[in-house]
């Protein structure tokens, strides 16, 4: 049975008029009448009685009309589920730690989408320590994180080093902020840190410990939730902070911020690309493309 003819039949019965449906459906009356005749021919039943006053149903037409709405709705639901299936197969869920999610990967996903227009991406911000297990548990298809002691992936997850992010000490570009600070000077300065467990505070703690200092003795523990909060505090000259270079390169270029060197501190964080060994064709396409383009695709 032709679904288009059935839909026209249903609309004509609801409207009680072939003319009105033809106008609203942008179809000629003769073409609409042909659709209705086609349905009657297929079912070998006369369904409508046509008159100058409109249309009315035959007994056979009443039966067809009774079932037509459910048939049409079921068909539309089937098309919706098929479309959803296509979308879910092309959807790639990406998780990245905050600085990568905010300042690096968005450009990568835009460029990848230009290469693969059928790909759909969802980007989520997560702690590096959680990303490996989330990829292993199929919560995300792709993960980008920093290498830490706690982000050990399962044997099902492939981890590939894709570059490094340099963490630098920055302050507002004013004469009162020096070009170089020793660990002792850092302890007396107002260093902005972050709430919760995070990679930047971890690497900062390791560097203090390596040089024989305890960063818990920082002069002012001013904690913020995210990088943008720290940048806002710096712009008002309320403190200094260790931040990813990718997050402050624009402010450095505009000379709004200045980099402050800390001799003896090693603040490079290696970045990982993580994915399951078994993955979809769309994920494989993205992985292959990213491994060719790498960090050049970052913002």
């Amino acid at each position: 049975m032709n679904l288009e003819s059935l839909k026209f039949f249903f609309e004509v019965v609801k409207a009680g008029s072939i003319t009105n449906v033809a106008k609203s459906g942008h179809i000629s009356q003769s073409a609409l009448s042909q659709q209705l005749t086609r349905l009657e021919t297929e079912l070998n039943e006369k369904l409508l009685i046509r008159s100058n006053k409109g249309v009315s149903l035959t007994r056979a037409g009443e039966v067809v009309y009774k079932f037509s709405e459910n048939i049409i709705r079921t068909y539309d639901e089937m098309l919706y589920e098929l479309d959803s299936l296509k979308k879910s197969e092309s959807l790639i869920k990406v998780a990245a730690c905050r600085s990568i999610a905010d300042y690096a990967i968005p450009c990568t996903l835009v460029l990848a989408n230009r290469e693969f227009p059928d790909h759909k991406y969802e980007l989520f911000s997560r702690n590096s320590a959680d990303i490996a297990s989330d990829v292993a548990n199929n919560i995300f298809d792709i993960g980008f994180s920093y290498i830490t002691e706690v982000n050990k992936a399962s044997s099902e997850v492939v981890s590939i080093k894709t570059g490094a992010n340099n963490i630098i000490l920055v302050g507002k570009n004013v004469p009162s902020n020096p070009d170089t600070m020793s660990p002792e000077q850092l302890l007396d300065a107002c260093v902005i840190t972050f709430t919760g467990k995070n990679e930047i505070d971890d690497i900062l703690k390791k560097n203090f410990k390596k040089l024989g200092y305890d960063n818990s003795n920082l002069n002012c523990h001013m904690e913020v939730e995210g990088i943008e909060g720290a940048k806002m505090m710096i712009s008002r000259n309320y403190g200094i902070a260790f931040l990813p270079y990718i997050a402050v390169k624009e402010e450095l270029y505009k000379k709004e911020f200045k980099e402050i060197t800390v001799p003896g501190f090693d603040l490079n964080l290696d970045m990982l690309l993580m994915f399951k060994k078994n993955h979809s064709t769309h994920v494989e396409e993205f992985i292959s493309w990213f491994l060719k383009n790498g960090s050049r695709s970052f913002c």
Side-chain angles (χ1 to χ4, degrees), residues 237-283:
N237 201 26
Y238 290 157
I240 56 179
F242 287 89
L243 298 176
Y245 171 75
I246 57 174
V248 294
K249 61 182 180 180
E250 182 175 348
E251 288 82 0
L252 291 170
Y253 177 77
K254 294 179 178 178
K255 300 188 183 302
E256 296 170 0
F257 292 175
K258 69 186 299 183
E259 180 178 357
I260 302 171
T261 303
V262 184
F265 270 33
D266 178 13
L267 298 169
N268 285 322
L269 284 173
D270 291 328
M271 289 188 286
L272 288 178
L273 164 68
M274 293 183 289
F275 52 88
K276 289 284 288 286
K277 291 179 180 178
N278 297 318
H279 46 257
S280 69
T281 301
H282 290 83
V283 172

Side-chain angles (χ1 to χ4, degrees), residues 9 13 16 47-51 54-58 61-62:
F9 167 77
V13 175
L47 305 177
L48 294 171
I49 301 171
R50 311 177 195 196
S51 68
V55 297
S56 59
L57 290 168
T58 64
E62 290 175 355

Side-chain angles (χ1 to χ4, degrees), residues 42-102:
E42 286 184 357
L43 297 175
N44 196 28
E45 295 282 355
K46 184 173 178 58
L47 305 177
L48 294 171
I49 301 171
R50 311 177 195 196
S51 68
N52 292 334
K53 296 181 180 180
V55 297
S56 59
L57 290 168
T58 64
R59 291 187 65 185
E62 290 175 355
V63 172
V64 175
Y65 181 72
K66 181 175 69 174
F67 287 99
S68 61
E69 185 174 11
N70 283 336
I71 293 171
I72 293 167
R73 185 187 299 116
T74 301
Y75 178 76
D76 288 342
E77 288 175 355
M78 179 189 71
L79 294 180
Y80 176 79
E81 289 202 19
L82 287 173
D83 185 58
S84 298
L85 180 62
K86 290 179 183 178
K87 289 180 180 178
S88 66
E89 289 176 344
S90 63
L91 177 64
I92 300 175
K93 292 187 176 183
V94 181
C97 58
R98 180 66 64 86
S99 59
I100 298 176
D102 289 349

Side-chain angles (χ1 to χ4, degrees), residues 142-158:
I142 299 287
F144 288 93
S145 76
Y146 297 120
I147 299 176
T148 70
E149 294 180 354
V150 291
N151 65 352
K152 308 297 184 184
S154 74
S155 58
E156 298 179 354
V157 176
V158 178

